[in-house]
Each structure stands twice: as C-alpha cells, then as structure tokens.
Amino acid sequence: MSSSKTVDLATHPLTLWQGPLGLPDFTRIGDNDFGPVFDAALESHQAEIDAIAGSSEAPTIDNTLAALELAGEPLDRVSSIFWCRAGAHTNDDIQALERDISPKMSRHFSAISMNEKLFARIDDLYQRRDSLNLDPETLRVLEKTWKGFVRSGAKLDAEGKKRLAAINEELSSLGTKFGQNVLADERDWALFLDEADVAGLPDFLKSAMAEAAEMRGQKGRYAVTLSRSIYEPFSTFSERRDLRETVFRAFTMRGQNGGASDNTDVVRDMLKLRAEKAKLLGYESFAALKLDDTMAKTPKAVHDLLDPVWQKALEKAANDQKELERLATEAGSNDKFAAWDWRFYQEKLRAEKFAFDEAELKPYLQLERVIDACFDVATNLFGVTFEEKRGIAAWHPDARVFMVKNVDGSERGLFLADYFARPSKRSGAWMSALKSGYKLGPGAKPVIYNIMNFAKPPAGEAALLSVDEAKTLFHEFGHALHGMLTDVTWPSVSGTSVSRDFVELPSQLYEHWLTVPAVLEKHALHVKTGKPMPKDLLDKMLAARTFGAGFATVEFTASALIDMAYHARPDAPAEPLRFEAETLEKLDMPDTIAMRHRTPHFGHVFAGDGYSAGYYSYMWSEVLDADAFSAFEETGDPFNPELAERLRKNIYAAGGSKDPEELYTAFRGKMPSPEAMMVKRGLV
C-alpha cells in the first residue's frame, strides 16, 4: 500500500470533485490515477471502520450506524467514477485495474462485514431496537444492516469467515473475467459487407452499419456487429438467409468460442462457489440465500409466477411459428424453419396483419425527440424539469449533462446520459449513480447516469430508434427517476437500493407512458417533414403492441428459468452448458427460438452478482407495473395528479425506506395478481 502515501484524498480530483456543477473534473483524471487513489481510499475507509469498531463509548445510532453509513466517502467517489469507466469507456489499462481492484474491494468489504467488534456494536443496537424509540426508516436501516452482516458471515467461526472471504474474492475476480470475456467477443467480431450484400436493408440500418465499419477502419463498407442495435434489425430485414445464420451463430455463441475469452470454465467455477457459499451460510441453495431478502422469498414463489407464463408463451409461440412457416413457404423457401428465420418472417407477418413494418416507425422515433418525451412525462407526472448544460467534460465526449430542478426551481440533482454504442463500452443499457441522494449528516444531491448502446448515425444525421429501443430509453430513465426523486434520510435505502424484484417496477412502469397517444402525438415527429405520426400508423402500432408476444416471452422466460435452475439446486452442475441444454429440453424449448441471454454471455447473472437467481424479477415487477398503470387507465387520465403524487411519494421517492409490499399497497390499495401482466403481454 506504499503508493497511498503520495495521494492526498482531500485534494485529489478523483475524491475532491471541483468540476462544473460539482461533478468530478474529468479533464484532470488519468487512467494511472485510479490505482494509488483506490489504495489510499481503502486505507482511509479502514481507519474509519477501526475507529467506529474500537470506540470506548456505548453504541448509539449516531456513533455506530450513522458513522458506518457515512464512512468511506473518498472510496465511494473513486469507485463510482471507476466502475462507470469500466462499463462505459474501458481500455486495456482500465481492464487490468479492474482485475486488480475487484478482489481488493471484495477482501476489504468481507473484512468489514466479519469485523467482530463492529458487529458486536450493531448487534447491541439490534437487540435493543424496540427500546430505542426509532423512526420507521431508521429501524428498517438497522434491521437491514444487522441482517446484511449475518448474511455476510458475521456469525461464522474463524475458519468459516476465512473461507467465505476467499469465496467472495474469487467470485469477484471471476465476475470481472466473465464480463471482460464477453466484451472481447463483442469487440473483436464484425461481419464486413459490401453494397451487394445489403440490398433491401432500410436506410437507418445501412447508415448505422456504415458508421460501425468506419469506426473499425473499413470506410466505404458495412459492418454487422454484435450490438443488439445492429444485430436485431439486421436479423429482421436482411433477405440473405446465409448472412442471418452467420450473425445469429456469432451472437448466440458469445463467450463460448474456445480460447482466452471462453466463459465455460468461469461459469462452472462460479456456480460451484455460489453453492458452497450458500451452504456455509446455512441456506439449502444459492437461490434460497439470494431470495431471502426479496418480495418472492422462495424459488417456489418464483416458479409459481414463471411456470404458467411459460406454458402460455409456448402455446402462443407454436401458433405463431405455423404462420411464419406459411409465409416462408409462400416466399419459395424449402429450408427447414430455423431460429435465424424468426425475426425476418415475424416482420413480414406484422406487415401482413397490421399493414406496417418497423422501418415505417423509425423516422418518427428520433433519439432527441424520445429524450424530450422522457423529460416531458417526468415534468407532467412529478414536476421536475431538465436543462442540458453543454460543454461539460465527462468520461467520454458523447456523455451529456442535464441539470434537474424541482417544481419550485430549486436544484434537485444532475442527470448524465451516454447514448451511443462504441467498442470501449459493454453492451446493454443500464442506470447507475456517481452519487446517491440522501439527508443524513451533510446530505447529498443525486448524480445519476444512463448508459445506452444505440447505433451512432453519421455526422449530421439524426439517430433513429426502434420501438424496442425507445422503450429501453424510457425504461432506463425510469430507473434514473428512481435515483433522482429519492427523498430518504439514510444512504443505504436511497433510490434504487430496494429488493431486486421491486427495483424494476419504476423502470418498467415508466415504459407505459411512451405509448400514451398524447405523448406520441407531441414527440413522434417525422425526421424529414416534422409532421406527427399519422393516426392510422399510430393506431396500427398500438394495435400491434402484443404482436410477437410468444417469441418475446419464450426468449425472456427461458433465461429466467435457466437462472433459477442453476441456483435453486443444492449443488452445482459439473457441466453447466450441458445442463443448460438438458434443462431447455425438459422445458420443451423450441429450437427455433434462442434464449435472450445464453449462459456464456448472461452478464446479468455472471458478470457479478446483480441478478443471479434474480432474472425473474423483471417479470415479477411486470406484474406490479401492469397493475400500477391500469390504476391511471381506470381514471381515464394517464397524468392523474392525485395518483401521480401517490406514485412519487410511495414508489419513486421512498427508496427502500419501507417494505416493498407496504409501499405498493400505499400506492394502489392492494397487491396485484399476475392476470394483468398476462393480458398486457397478449398471452390470454
């Protein structure tokens, strides 16, 4: 740790944020800064922990629980910038650092959660909690903190603690390796095509492919990459079946190509360690451990939700496939219908049934207009406004900064957004925070960011989105609002710090406002003419909302069921990919549909611990979001002020300050049944 001696945490730009608007000054941060600052920040945090644990004063909420929550600010700051860079704009140096820092952080936090003196102080408060006269939020934070220590091994013997710390450290390293392997496969694969190969592709896709080729040094050609924003439309519109097959195989084999970036052994080792960790902590499976702190509580409850949906989705997909095979035959195809045919013929079926295709919608879904729509909905529902602040440096020139203000004009926080795909960014879309909002101690205003991977258009052209991409933007912005509207005292229950199967409610619910006719009429304006989407096209789009539900539900639910199958067993499969194949066979998975995320690139579950035994939670939250939006529909006003205020107070602002069921019931008056979700998906 000698490098820490040269770092002054009080003045370093990674820990003293003196850039515009109180952001970090990214112009003064170099890749080589992170290592020494991390070492110094870890040392500083450890000193704070030692002071709290070693205090001679009797434990109080202030000197123990609050001190613990507020400790480690320099570490929080350098971490938030580093993990943002690692996901959104990485390079070889950052990846090497990630491999070094992940196990260090794991060791550090394992030591804290197994610190006997510190746990004794928390335990003392916990045992006296009923006599401390605590407000409900503080009581909840105390209970969650105590449980967190126990679930992190505080009650294990010395040998058990040592083994658990080693497991956590190894899992952390493996998760980093998994994510870097997938990124390598995505970055290193591209299919370069010439004009003759792209005949019939819509202009928006050709533009994106031309830009992707130029970015990879092949100006004048076209590149299919493994970014969803290019892969999916190419699979949908390319007349070339041979190319669709090539791209499909590359996409589904990410992380399973042999060589240095293959994740087969990584997954095997992670599953084995997770099963051992669960056993060590007294749980019958890793799923039981992970679900202990969720709304679902048990693997059985998860299956009670997923299994009926799976059966309905299989029926729907089987009926749809017959229609698609009919179209293929009519088009003169003698080939056996395959997975790389599905999107292509599904688009033809959409055109036949609803007399429009995705390419017709794209010109009306300009990225800038969809961003405006996101902001507009937030203003109408919650009174917050957004103002772009140009010329402020962030982690990449594409990242943009917005000031967020309350209805009275006071500052609420900052929102940053980075919308375009590039080789230095991992795939997918996500929300995170450079800083959470809370009121404890000096308090802090939230600094929240969204990362997307839309295809970047050539200079001077507008970026156009598919309906799915526009929904993704609304979805991630819903998470961002959950972070920005937070109104709690304690950092550990701020914003999205809620149970995993509740965290998707604010994001999935927000998606509903994209297709509110008034929102589309105002913001879905043609890129060339500026005219609103014609009513007949809007009607067709809304009528087609549940089109393709069989395919979409099968590909998603298969991933959720595989995740649960891996983690609900007491041991780990010796050959996970064989287990994946056998489980899908038992489930009657159609060979014409691939899982949305196959095991070797299932980042939600293996690039860290986030959604392990938790991928089901998107659907769990969907039960809530379908019911929550129907509350607005029942009033006939999608912006009903009284409901919007209840929504803000109990869902978006409340964080994890109360039990999720209590929060949802305060908003809606009751808990929902899965029926509304099935109807919304078009499965019943």
Side-chain angles (χ1 to χ4, degrees):
M1 285 222 180
S2 57
S3 59
S4 65
K5 304 298 177 220
T6 59
V7 172
D8 182 358
L9 294 176
T11 60
H12 198 283
L14 275 168
T15 49
L16 177 66
W17 292 3
Q18 288 190 308
L21 308 178
L23 284 168
D25 184 348
F26 284 94
T27 64
R28 294 175 56 217
I29 295 168
D31 294 352
N32 297 332
D33 290 335
F34 287 107
V37 174
F38 260 112
D39 285 346
L42 285 163
E43 207 172 276
S44 161
H45 189 214
Q46 189 58 55
E48 289 178 276
I49 295 299
D50 292 343
I52 298 164
S55 170
S56 57
E57 295 175 16
T60 65
I61 292 297
D62 278 348
N63 71 18
T64 303
L65 190 65
L68 182 61
E69 290 258 327
L70 293 171
E73 190 178 4
L75 184 58
D76 288 345
R77 289 190 166 203
V78 62
S79 297
S80 69
I81 299 173
F82 180 76
W83 296 116
C84 174
R85 276 290 311 274
H89 191 37
T90 191
N91 57 36
D92 291 346
D93 291 342
I94 294 289
Q95 292 198 336
L97 270 167
E98 206 181 345
R99 294 190 291 273
D100 178 50
I101 287 165
S102 293
K104 259 186 201 173
M105 294 281 275
S106 175
R107 271 199 300 277
H108 176 72
F109 285 103
S110 284
I112 291 173
S113 55
M114 296 175 195
N115 183 317
E116 288 177 18
K117 286 182 176 173
L118 183 61
F119 178 63
R121 294 180 72 82
I122 294 290
D123 191 45
D124 176 88
L125 292 170
Y126 180 75
Q127 302 306 335
R128 293 189 287 121
R129 65 193 181 280
D130 293 339
S131 63
L132 293 174
N133 197 22
L134 303 177
D135 64 85
E137 185 185 325
T138 303
L139 176 61
R140 184 163 168 82
V141 169
L142 176 58
E143 288 174 345
K144 278 172 74 80
T145 304
W146 184 86
K147 278 182 189 162
F149 271 85
V150 172
R151 283 159 51 90
S152 299
K155 290 191 160 188
L156 294 175
D157 61 20
E159 200 172 312
K161 283 179 178 164
K162 191 177 168 189
R163 179 60 193 145
L164 183 60
I167 289 172
N168 286 340
E169 189 176 328
E170 203 174 333
L171 280 171
S172 176
S173 293
L174 287 167
T176 296
K177 188 176 181 185
F178 182 97
Q180 291 189 358
N181 285 346
V182 177
L183 181 64
D185 276 7
E186 290 173 348
R187 184 191 60 219
D188 297 343
W189 192 93
L191 178 64
F192 293 103
L193 303 175
D194 295 308
E195 198 65 47
D197 307 313
V198 297
L201 293 185
D203 289 344
F204 76 82
L205 179 55
K206 285 171 70 175
S207 283
M209 288 166 62
E211 182 73 10
E214 189 172 336
M215 219 185 263
R216 288 162 178 77
Q218 296 260 6
K219 189 172 166 65
R221 300 188 79 194
Y222 300 90
V224 186
T225 68
L226 299 182
S227 160
R228 261 186 211 279
S229 60
I230 287 181
Y231 161 72
E232 287 188 358
F234 184 81
S235 306
T236 302
F237 294 113
S238 175
E239 301 278 345
R240 289 278 301 276
R241 187 173 194 263
D242 57 330
L243 299 181
R244 296 201 309 268
E245 180 179 357
T246 300
V247 175
F248 172 85
R249 291 192 186 282
F251 192 78
T252 52
M253 292 298 285
R254 287 170 297 149
Q256 195 191 342
N257 290 305
S261 64
D262 193 283
N263 274 327
T264 308
D265 293 347
V266 179
V267 169
R268 180 199 63 207
D269 295 348
M270 287 184 86
L271 290 171
K272 201 172 160 195
L273 289 165
R274 284 172 175 175
E276 187 187 347
K277 176 176 177 169
K279 202 161 281 167
L280 199 55
L281 289 167
Y283 291 88
E284 63 195 43
S285 68
F286 187 73
L289 165 66
K290 282 296 294 274
L291 293 169
D292 189 29
D293 190 31
T294 62
M295 293 178 82
K297 303 283 190 283
T298 65
K300 182 189 178 300
V302 173
H303 277 286
D304 287 347
L305 168 67
L306 294 180
D307 294 350
V309 174
W310 178 247
Q311 292 310 320
K312 287 266 195 314
L314 284 181
E315 288 166 30
K316 184 93 176 65
N319 290 331
D320 288 350
Q321 187 172 324
K322 287 186 189 125
E323 288 274 79
L324 303 183
E325 286 171 338
R326 168 184 67 77
L327 283 176
T329 306
E330 286 171 9
S333 170
N334 299 317
D335 299 299
K336 183 177 183 296
F337 190 84
W340 46 90
D341 294 319
W342 195 292
R343 287 181 197 279
F344 180 72
Y345 285 107
Q346 184 165 271
E347 191 55 33
K348 301 250 184 270
L349 185 61
R350 186 210 307 269
E352 182 184 276
K353 281 193 164 186
F354 301 99
F356 82 99
D357 65 25
E358 269 282 350
E360 263 185 278
L361 289 173
K362 273 239 177 179
Y364 293 97
L365 295 172
Q366 298 171 61
L367 172 61
E368 292 305 317
R369 299 273 184 196
V370 179
I371 294 168
D372 286 347
C374 272
F375 292 168
D376 210 11
V377 169
T379 304
N380 285 330
L381 284 172
F382 307 123
V384 286
T385 56
F386 299 80
E387 181 193 342
E388 184 158 11
K389 299 291 186 183
R390 296 186 185 275
I392 295 175
W395 53 87
H396 185 275
D398 283 349
R400 298 160 64 176
V401 180
F402 300 87
M403 169 81 75
V404 189
K405 291 187 173 173
N406 294 309
V407 69
D408 63 3
S410 60
E411 188 188 329
R412 168 152 283 281
L414 296 173
F415 171 61
L416 286 77
D418 182 354
Y419 292 111
F420 296 120
R422 53 180 172 265
S424 66
K425 189 192 270 191
R426 73 173 165 86
S427 62
W430 64 96
M431 163 269 178
S432 193
L434 288 179
K435 197 191 283 177
S436 296
Y438 56 86
K439 291 182 259 184
L440 189 70
K445 286 191 167 76
V447 181
I448 306 296
Y449 63 89
N450 274 173
I451 307 286
M452 308 287 159
N453 267 287
F454 304 137
K456 192 170 189 175
E461 287 186 28
L464 303 178
L465 306 184
S466 68
V467 176
D468 278 351
E469 287 173 328
K471 272 190 184 162
T472 297
L473 197 144
F474 263 71
H475 177 100
E476 297 305 335
F477 191 72
H479 280 310
L481 280 174
H482 200 187
M484 290 184 285
L485 294 175
T486 194
D487 187 21
V488 300
T489 298
W490 292 83
S492 64
V493 292
S494 167
T496 55
S497 301
V498 299
S499 72
R500 183 61 70 187
D501 48 12
F502 192 64
V503 79
E504 295 301 332
L505 168 61
S507 53
Q508 291 180 188
L509 174 57
Y510 206 69
E511 289 178 37
H512 288 265
W513 275 276
L514 170 65
T515 48
V516 166
V519 174
L520 286 169
E521 282 159 20
K522 182 175 175 184
H523 296 285
L525 306 180
H526 195 280
V527 65
K528 292 208 169 89
T529 66
K531 289 184 175 165
M533 190 184 286
K535 180 148 187 352
D536 65 327
L537 184 57
L538 175 57
D539 290 344
K540 286 174 195 170
M541 180 186 131
L542 295 176
R545 260 189 297 195
T546 60
F547 176 75
F551 172 83
T553 309
V554 166
E555 66 161 13
F556 169 83
T557 314
S559 295
L561 287 165
I562 289 289
D563 169 36
M564 206 37 69
Y566 280 139
H567 293 111
R569 47 184 285 169
D571 57 357
E575 297 176 61
L577 296 181
R578 189 170 164 187
F579 178 75
E580 175 192 86
E582 288 168 354
T583 305
L584 290 174
E585 200 177 327
K586 282 183 200 149
L587 288 167
D588 297 321
M589 175 78 170
D591 62 2
T592 51
I593 302 178
M595 293 164 65
R596 185 158 180 82
H597 307 282
R598 283 199 55 241
T599 299
H601 52 257
F602 202 167
H604 285 77
V605 170
F606 294 109
D609 202 17
Y611 282 84
S612 53
Y615 195 64
Y616 77 91
S617 54
Y618 287 93
M619 195 167 277
W620 189 275
S621 292
E622 197 177 338
V623 172
L624 301 175
D625 83 64
D627 177 68
F629 192 69
S630 63
F632 284 90
E633 290 179 318
E634 285 159 17
T635 70
D637 177 5
F639 296 100
N640 181 288
E642 185 197 333
L643 260 185
E645 176 50 27
R646 283 218 306 270
L647 181 65
R648 184 200 64 76
K649 184 181 167 192
N650 297 298
I651 307 295
Y652 285 91
S657 60
K658 292 180 180 165
D659 179 83
E661 285 197 22
E662 189 186 329
L663 289 172
Y664 190 81
T665 307
F667 161 66
R668 187 67 166 112
K670 61 178 180 23
M671 286 300 286
S673 79
E675 205 57 33
M677 182 269 288
M678 299 263 228
V679 171
K680 175 195 153 196
R681 277 191 171 240
L683 296 176
V684 291

